[in-house]
Amino acid sequence: MSHVKHITRRQSTRIYVGKVPVGNNAPITIQSMTNTCTTNIPATVNQIKALERIGVDIVRISVPTIESAEAIRLIKKQVNVPIVADIHFDYRIALKVAEYGADCLRINPGNIGNQSRIRSVVECARYHNIPIRIGINSGSLEKNLQKKYKEPTPQALLESALRQIEYLDKLSFNLFKVSVKSSDVFIAIESYRLLAKQIQQPIHVGITESGGARAGAVKSAIAIGSLLLEGIGDTLRISLAADPLEEVKVGFDILRSLRIRPRGINFIACPTCSRQEFDVISIINTLEERLSDILTPMDVAIIGCMVNGPGEAKFATIAVSGRKKSSSLYEDGIQLHERLDNQTIVDQLEKHIRRKAHKINTTHHIDIKTITNL
Ligand code: SF4
């Protein structure tokens, strides 16, 4: 579409989390975090596999104990995505989990302790050639910064990040990415803007503790969407008090909405009213569920009547516009002779969409694996 905004991304260096590139114009990656008990290896592996099925790029796992570090070793053997080990308080766990194969260490230097401990973690990451994420969080700023700024302002988050970055610079360690997360949309956006002006390394964007599935998705979309539009963000996580699968789905929804990393169907549907000729809500819900395996980027419009249907259909890959008894079907903006019986419209639409996805893949030689890795 001609009106699609072209986003110029911030230039950054590149790191690799496992084999996944982050930064320097690599595709923006979607992360999530397991919420199983890490030492419950089957449950954690199952959750990671479920996340892999819906396209997660990187998974973070909490490593609160040495036992959970040992669990990572076994988990790593059973999954494909790179694993980021999330370490708080005890730097010795970081050393252990790096030895056990973690692909990245996420530390919050504010709670790791003195500089010699941070130094040990850095030397360990260097030895294993794995990156670090410096994860600054408004809820766990260093005490002296809390005292200095009174509250977690963007400047406080930035200062915390720059302190750690400076220390890593002194150690000549460049393999890191940085996040400055706040649960407040305004603070998060401003913190990331300040950070982006100061560093070359990749930036991990997110709203921390954003809330439940709906409100958290909205907050994250506003903050992360704003930053991405400004070109800030190389990887992201949506932090929801919900099933981690939701985090990945919302992450891809944000990227798809901005046409940054089109993957799967972009559904367009009207909000419905008494003019609708078929049950739009039930159809959209069913199709979203049934067609979640389609990775081909395409726009599908489900519009309940002829008021807005033909207009939306002009720009959709496949569209249906509600009419009495049988509805109008469109492909690539052109109305087809075929009409869809309103009684069986879901099944027919599914068939058409699948056929179209197959046609696009064949015509453009799109390899589904390539789409997954976009
Ligand atoms: Fe109502 Fe038609 Fe608008 Fe849908 S497109 S909300 S059915 S007027």
Side-chain angles (χ1 to χ4, degrees), residues 270-273 275-276 303-305 307-308:
C270 76
T272 78
C273 73
R275 284 201 177 89
Q276 65 179 341
I303 310 295
C305 79
V307 171
N308 292 326

Side-chain angles (χ1 to χ4, degrees), residues 286-287 290-291 293-294 340 344-356:
T286 309
L287 287 177
R290 283 195 198 171
L291 298 171
D293 61 304
I294 290 196
L340 302 184
T344 54
I345 199 163
V346 173
D347 295 339
Q348 295 175 78
L349 267 173
E350 182 182 354
K351 202 172 71 189
H352 276 284
I353 295 165
R354 285 194 182 282
R355 198 157 56 201
K356 183 67 180 172

Side-chain angles (χ1 to χ4, degrees), residues 18 33 67 77 98 159 163 172 192 211 245 254 260 283 300 312 370:
M33 187 165 180
E67 291 71 38
K77 289 181 182 160
E159 185 170 335
R163 277 182 185 178
S172 305
Y192 277 108
L245 296 184
I254 293 173
I260 288 178
I283 289 172
V300 171
E312 287 294 349
T370 312

Side-chain angles (χ1 to χ4, degrees), residues 286-356:
T286 309
L287 287 177
E288 272 186 354
E289 188 69 37
R290 283 195 198 171
L291 298 171
S292 60
D293 61 304
I294 290 196
L295 303 176
T296 314
M298 55 199 291
D299 295 324
V300 171
I302 315 288
I303 310 295
C305 79
M306 296 301 279
V307 171
N308 292 326
E312 287 294 349
K314 274 188 200 155
F315 305 102
T317 321
I318 292 283
V320 65
S321 180
R323 297 177 76 167
K324 282 220 176 330
K325 292 194 178 147
S326 63
S327 296
S328 300
L329 177 67
Y330 303 78
E331 186 174 324
D332 294 325
I334 295 166
Q335 187 174 353
L336 306 181
H337 290 302
E338 183 181 352
R339 301 260 292 256
L340 302 184
D341 186 333
N342 291 351
Q343 298 297 316
T344 54
I345 199 163
V346 173
D347 295 339
Q348 295 175 78
L349 267 173
E350 182 182 354
K351 202 172 71 189
H352 276 284
I353 295 165
R354 285 194 182 282
R355 198 157 56 201
K356 183 67 180 172

